[in-house]
């Protein structure tokens, strides 16, 4: 049996950053980082710009958290292409798909998310892509060569980013969305409409329809909509959201349907077992209640805190305002605060057609969130301070 001081499950940005942070406080403890993918830990948020970048072979190297030497130098045993198949909480044992067993003193779970697949006919046909990993993006890059008619199904961040990236390459792209406007679940109706028109002006129309299924013998031929239309399509990208990767801890207290519950220190009820990133269901110190984020900024901040706390040499609370950013065409959007409910009232500062502009979203008198478009980093920091101030008791 292999014995380790620290086991980190999941080699995404969460897992890699936990290793980085714990090494600051414990330079000697033995660490194993296990990840199912074959690539070194990388930033998924950089996949579109790096993998699809035209004619820049160096762009891909920008995605990695660290070069391979970093893991060697920092004595992080990195086991790629390896799945943790069993996790015994009581005995502090993890079984790998290689048959090896790791006994650990402390652990951080960082298994991230997987793409939610639609429960419709034909969802497994060829030429239907689900984008999560570097491998998925490399496959997309190969498959778009010569494609004339690409449909992106969804209306959220990944759908918008994929559409913008492919359109920038000169491809014909259509968004098929069950809502009439992009990002409608987060924005005020006018801004969502403006963004949808902006996409249309860039050559990406939005077709307001609900997916009913896919047709084709082995590869996609048509997309069926709930209203009975059959639309010819050569390639479809399904971007209908993600769900936390909790199979490993299913049916245990660490695998509640909405994430792995952790306290303010990102530790679970099982002492010495922490969770970060897309799977962590954490107490929201600013808005109250519990929250799970599916964004890289929060993952990175959690991993820095959990890595330090794992060592026992530091005890930090995790307190961060929800924040994420998304770049589409020449527009960078920063979402600062809570966008989980449609705003009751909103105020726009500036002109949407001449960014920068800012939208403030309110529930009653309370400022809940701010959307900033093409604003400076200082303006984003000021927006964070403004939202936090509005929630000081
Ligand atoms: C294409 C794309 C673009 C994105 N763009 C943005 C953006 O612009 N802004 C933003 O804020 N967020 C963005 N995100 C979301 C962001 O990437 C995630 O929030 C972030 O990656 C979460 O990090 P994580 O470490 O928790 O999980 P992940 O990055 O999902 O990594 C988890 C890793 O654990 C592995 N794993 C799972 N189970 C096991 C197991 N049992 N054994 C071993 N390994 C396991 C998985 O294979 C995976 O490699 C994007 C995501 C995608 C897919």
């Amino acid at each position: 049996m292999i014995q380790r001081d620290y086991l980190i499950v999941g080699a995404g940005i969460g897992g890699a950053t936990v290793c980085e942070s714990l090494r600051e406080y414990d330079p000697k403890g033995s660490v194993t980082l296990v990840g199912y993918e074959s690539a070194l830990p990388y930033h998924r948020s950089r996949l579109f710009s790096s993998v699809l970048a035209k004619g820049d072979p160096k762009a891909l190297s920008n995605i990695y958290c660290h070069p391979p030497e970093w893991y060697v130098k920092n004595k992080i045993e990195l086991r790629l292409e390896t799945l943790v198949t069993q996790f015994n909480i009581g005995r502090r044992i993890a079984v790998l798909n290689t048959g090896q067993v790791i006994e650990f003193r402390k652990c951080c779970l960082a298994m991230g998310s997987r793409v939610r697949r639609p429960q419709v006919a034909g969802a497994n046909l060829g030429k239907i892509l689900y984008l999560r990993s570097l491998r998925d993006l490399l496959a997309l890059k190969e498959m778009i060569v010569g494609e004339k008619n690409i449909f992106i199904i969804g209306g959220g961040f990944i759908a918008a980013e994929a559409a913008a990236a492919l359109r920038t390459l000169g491809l014909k792209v259509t968004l098929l969305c069950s809502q009439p406007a992009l990002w409608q679940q987060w924005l005020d109706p006018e801004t969502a409409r403006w963004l949808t028109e902006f996409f249309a002006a860039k050559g990406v129309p939005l077709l307001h329809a609900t997916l009913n299924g896919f047709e084709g013998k082995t590869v996609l031929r048509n997309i069926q909509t709930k209203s009975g239309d059959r639309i010819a399509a050569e390639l479809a990208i399904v971007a209908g959201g993600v769900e936390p990767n909790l199979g490993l801890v299913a049916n245990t207290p660490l695998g509640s349907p909405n994430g792995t519950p952790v306290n303010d220190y990102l530790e679970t009820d099982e002492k010495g077992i922490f969770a970060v990133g897309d799977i962590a269901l954490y107490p929201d110190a600013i808005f109250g209640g519990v929250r799970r984020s599916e964004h890289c900024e929060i993952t990175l901040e959690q991993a820095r805190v959990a890595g330090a706390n794992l060592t026992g040499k530091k005890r930090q609370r995790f307190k961060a305002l929800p924040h994420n950013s998304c770049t589409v065409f020449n527009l960078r959007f920063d979402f600062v605060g809570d966008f989980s409910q449609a705003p009751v009232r909103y105020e726009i500062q500036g002109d949407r057609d001449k960014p920068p502009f800012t939208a403030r979203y309110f529930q009653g008198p309370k400022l809940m969130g701010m959307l900033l478009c093409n604003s400076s980093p200082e303006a984003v920091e000021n927006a964070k301070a403004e939202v936090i101030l509005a929630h000081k008791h």
Side-chain angles (χ1 to χ4, degrees):
M1 183 161 358
I2 304 163
Q3 282 167 339
R4 292 287 179 265
D5 292 313
Y6 306 104
L7 170 69
I8 317 300
V9 184
I13 49 166
T17 309
V18 165
C19 294
E20 194 182 319
S21 172
L22 81 78
R23 270 293 174 250
E24 275 183 40
Y25 300 94
D26 184 352
K28 292 211 178 109
S30 52
V31 184
T32 292
L33 170 61
V34 184
Y36 190 49
E37 291 180 64
S38 52
L40 290 171
Y42 58 90
H43 293 268
R44 287 175 213 280
S45 56
R46 298 181 193 164
L47 282 174
F48 285 116
S49 57
S50 302
V51 178
L52 298 181
K54 249 187 186 165
D56 182 0
K58 281 205 199 121
L60 197 56
S61 59
N62 294 335
I63 68 169
Y64 297 107
C65 300
H66 301 289
E69 315 80 77
W70 183 88
Y71 298 92
V72 178
K73 192 172 154 223
N74 286 281
K75 296 194 177 61
I76 308 291
E77 186 203 20
L78 179 58
R79 288 177 178 245
L80 297 176
E81 293 182 319
T82 307
L83 190 67
V84 178
T85 54
Q86 288 174 44
F87 191 71
N88 187 318
I89 299 169
R91 292 177 59 202
R92 300 289 198 258
I93 278 173
V95 180
L96 311 183
N97 63 347
T98 55
Q100 289 160 303
V101 177
I102 299 182
E103 186 182 32
F104 57 86
R105 222 164 43 80
K106 294 184 180 176
C107 174
C108 185
L109 300 174
M111 288 94 72
S113 297
R114 58 170 174 254
V115 172
R116 200 181 297 128
R117 288 189 171 232
Q119 302 298 308
V120 296
N124 293 324
L125 283 171
K127 294 221 167 176
I128 300 175
L129 291 178
Y130 300 87
L131 303 181
R132 181 72 196 169
S133 65
L134 172 59
R135 191 180 282 185
D136 297 334
L137 264 287
L138 291 171
L140 173 68
K141 190 174 183 174
E142 297 261 309
M143 288 170 80
I144 52 179
V145 178
E147 287 301 348
K148 293 186 194 73
N149 204 8
I150 303 177
F151 278 81
I152 298 177
I153 295 157
F157 293 123
I158 303 286
E161 277 188 78
L166 294 175
R167 183 66 196 138
T168 304
L169 294 175
L171 297 160
K172 182 171 179 245
V173 184
T174 304
L175 283 158
L176 190 136
C177 182
S178 57
Q179 294 179 329
L182 269 171
W183 298 358
Q184 190 180 287
Q185 62 275 45
W186 305 305
L187 305 183
D188 62 275
E190 280 173 29
T191 306
R193 201 175 315 123
W194 163 81
L195 183 66
T196 308
E197 283 164 11
F198 174 85
F199 266 71
K202 290 277 184 192
V204 183
L206 184 145
L207 190 65
H208 178 202
T210 305
L211 175 70
N212 192 47
F214 300 102
E215 291 177 344
K217 262 194 178 158
T218 52
V219 295
L220 175 70
R221 288 276 172 265
N222 296 308
I223 296 173
Q224 293 172 346
T225 67
K226 282 242 157 82
S227 53
D229 291 327
R230 293 169 78 208
I231 306 158
E234 293 184 342
L235 184 75
I237 295 168
V238 181
V242 293
E243 56 199 11
N245 234 334
L246 291 170
L248 183 64
V249 288
N251 306 317
T252 77
L254 306 188
S256 91
N258 198 24
T260 299
V262 291
N263 61 20
D264 284 343
Y265 301 93
L266 303 173
E267 192 171 21
T268 67
D269 279 350
E270 295 291 334
K271 218 169 168 355
I273 302 183
F274 292 71
V276 298
D278 283 10
I279 62 164
L281 184 66
Y282 65 93
D284 188 327
I286 293 160
F287 292 101
V290 288
R291 182 180 296 274
R292 195 171 60 75
S293 154
E294 290 166 354
H295 302 296
C296 49
E297 285 224 9
I298 292 289
T299 298
L300 291 170
E301 287 177 44
Q302 287 179 341
R304 284 184 206 111
V305 169
N309 290 350
L310 260 176
T311 64
K313 295 188 178 142
K314 192 97 190 161
R315 195 149 163 80
Q316 288 177 356
R317 276 176 199 275
F318 172 71
K319 184 178 178 182
L321 187 73
H323 170 216
N324 66 286
S325 61
C326 182
T327 301
V328 286
F329 296 109
N330 54 344
L331 301 178
R332 177 189 159 107
F333 291 95
D334 283 278
F335 288 73
V336 170
D338 181 4
F339 286 79
S340 58
Q341 284 170 283
V344 170
R345 182 170 68 81
Y346 59 94
E347 289 168 4
I348 307 290
Q349 186 184 339
D351 182 349
R352 292 187 191 88
D353 291 325
K354 290 188 196 125
F357 74 85
T358 302
R360 285 180 175 73
Y361 294 124
F362 298 85
Q363 295 290 338
K366 274 249 154 110
L367 176 65
M368 298 301 285
M370 287 172 69
L371 172 81
L372 295 97
C373 178
N374 284 1
S375 300
S376 65
E378 296 75 42
V380 174
E381 288 311 309
N382 290 340
K384 287 183 184 173
E386 189 177 334
V387 177
I388 290 173
L389 188 66
H391 290 267
K392 278 239 161 87
H393 304 293

